[in-house]
Amino acid sequence: MKVGISTASLFLREPTERAAATIKCLGVDETEVFFQTFYEYRPEFSKALAPDICGLNVNSVHVLTNDFEPHLFSPSRRIRGDGFYWLDQVMRSAQLLNCKNYTFHGQCLIKKGCAFSDYDGLAEYIRGAFEFCARYGVRFCLENVAWSTYNRPGIFKELKARVPGLYGVFDLKQARRSGYPYQMYINDMCGSISHAHVSDIDNDGKMCLPGRGAYDFETVFKRLKDAGFDGCVLIEAYSHDFGAVEELKQSADYLKELMYKLN
């Protein structure tokens, strides 16, 4: 396993290009580029970004869910076409960053706890996006998100049975927000976890950086390892969860030490 930092951790503090450069300056080897705007989805943005972060491995990219991902599930051909237009832009950008994983959220569910019953229909939409990304050499990775498509354990397994090449992204924070034990998501995605997002929470229920809260990350990593995971664990925090930027590096070093003990 490897440790990285998502540029999402610096959202609203620094623009994406500066956030990626900051992570590189911290001496961290892995990152996830969180594209924040339609402007940033365009290949021209990544073409300008790539030289500035040379040597920093971009494990994955993801986007603001509301911008176009829900369009990919629309029964309207024209609306889906708009969605695939922007997905094409993001895939071209991923290629320029030599990135092999796309973190996908999907729909925005209005009602909490909304459950799917038509897995065949849902899988058809997922398959279309999955195959589209594959043409660019990028893995389509569905993330567990409490308010989106994969909002409860069991959904991934149902979709994986219908789209065999599907990968998942394990998000510890979103597992907690869904109300289900995180272990259930790891079991659901067993053998197919591309990468992971982690943050911590203190005894008062406030989010913080890994190592500053109450989570037993040694056990989390053991469970991930038992599930066949050997990818990148990315710190994905909110910008108000820490003070100085250097604290991100301290958190990354903490996670690296725990991983070292497991080997």
Side-chain angles (χ1 to χ4, degrees):
M1 284 186 276
K2 298 172 289 187
V3 175
I5 301 171
S6 171
T7 65
S9 300
L10 293 166
F11 179 56
L12 299 180
R13 277 204 195 190
E14 298 182 356
T16 302
E17 64 274 20
R18 194 180 303 164
T22 294
I23 290 170
K24 179 183 177 181
C25 288
L26 289 174
V28 177
D29 298 326
E30 304 280 336
T31 192
E32 176 179 72
V33 173
F34 170 50
F35 293 124
Q36 303 176 15
T37 67
F38 285 104
Y39 169 81
E40 295 180 2
Y41 301 159
R42 301 175 307 130
E44 291 83 357
F45 177 81
S46 290
K47 187 175 182 179
L49 173 63
D52 293 337
I53 59 171
C54 182
L56 180 63
N57 181 57
V58 180
N59 174 83
S60 48
V61 297
H62 77 96
V63 304
L64 282 173
T65 304
N66 290 350
D67 281 349
F68 69 83
E69 288 185 352
H71 291 13
L72 300 172
F73 296 86
S74 175
S76 165
R77 183 175 179 181
R78 286 185 176 179
I79 294 175
R80 282 201 316 279
D82 281 351
F84 277 107
Y85 170 81
W86 285 108
L87 184 59
D88 170 75
Q89 296 292 290
V90 173
M91 290 302 101
R92 293 177 187 273
S93 296
Q95 286 183 321
L96 288 167
L97 297 175
N98 197 30
C99 170
K100 301 301 182 184
N101 299 304
Y102 173 49
T103 301
F104 183 81
H105 287 183
Q107 299 138 303
C108 298
L109 303 179
I110 299 174
K111 295 182 180 179
K112 186 177 180 180
C114 178
F116 294 101
S117 56
D118 181 13
Y119 287 110
D120 290 336
L122 180 61
E124 280 302 307
Y125 290 120
I126 293 290
R127 184 180 296 106
F130 167 87
E131 292 177 349
F132 188 90
C133 294
R135 297 187 197 119
Y136 294 84
V138 178
R139 294 197 301 192
F140 179 93
C141 308
L142 181 64
E143 183 174 28
N144 65 285
V145 180
W147 47 266
S148 194
T149 301
Y150 182 16
N151 66 343
R152 60 183 174 83
I155 290 177
F156 183 85
K157 190 170 290 186
E158 291 285 353
L159 293 174
K160 178 78 173 179
R162 295 162 173 81
V163 186
L166 185 65
Y167 272 82
V169 182
F170 170 66
D171 189 298
L172 184 59
K173 170 183 80 267
Q174 292 294 340
R176 182 180 71 251
R177 289 181 171 178
S178 74
Y180 294 95
Y182 75 83
Q183 298 92 331
M184 293 180 70
Y185 286 101
I186 292 177
N187 292 339
D188 196 36
M189 291 183 268
C190 184
S192 300
I193 302 174
S194 170
H195 50 286
H197 289 150
V198 295
S199 59
D200 210 335
I201 187 170
D202 64 23
N203 292 324
D204 295 322
K206 185 181 182 301
M207 271 187 58
C208 55
L209 292 176
R212 303 291 178 89
Y215 261 115
D216 178 3
F217 279 97
E218 186 173 352
T219 297
V220 173
F221 290 163
K222 284 180 179 178
R223 290 187 177 276
L224 284 168
K225 187 176 182 180
D226 289 345
F229 176 72
D230 191 30
C232 189
V233 174
L234 293 147
I235 297 171
E236 187 186 58
Y238 294 121
S239 58
H240 56 262
D241 293 335
F242 57 95
V245 170
E246 289 74 20
E247 292 178 32
L248 287 169
K249 177 63 163 58
Q250 294 167 8
S251 182
D253 289 342
Y254 164 76
L255 294 179
K256 285 182 181 178
E257 181 65 23
L258 289 180
M259 288 181 182
Y260 178 78
K261 291 178 181 177
L262 287 178
N263 295 330

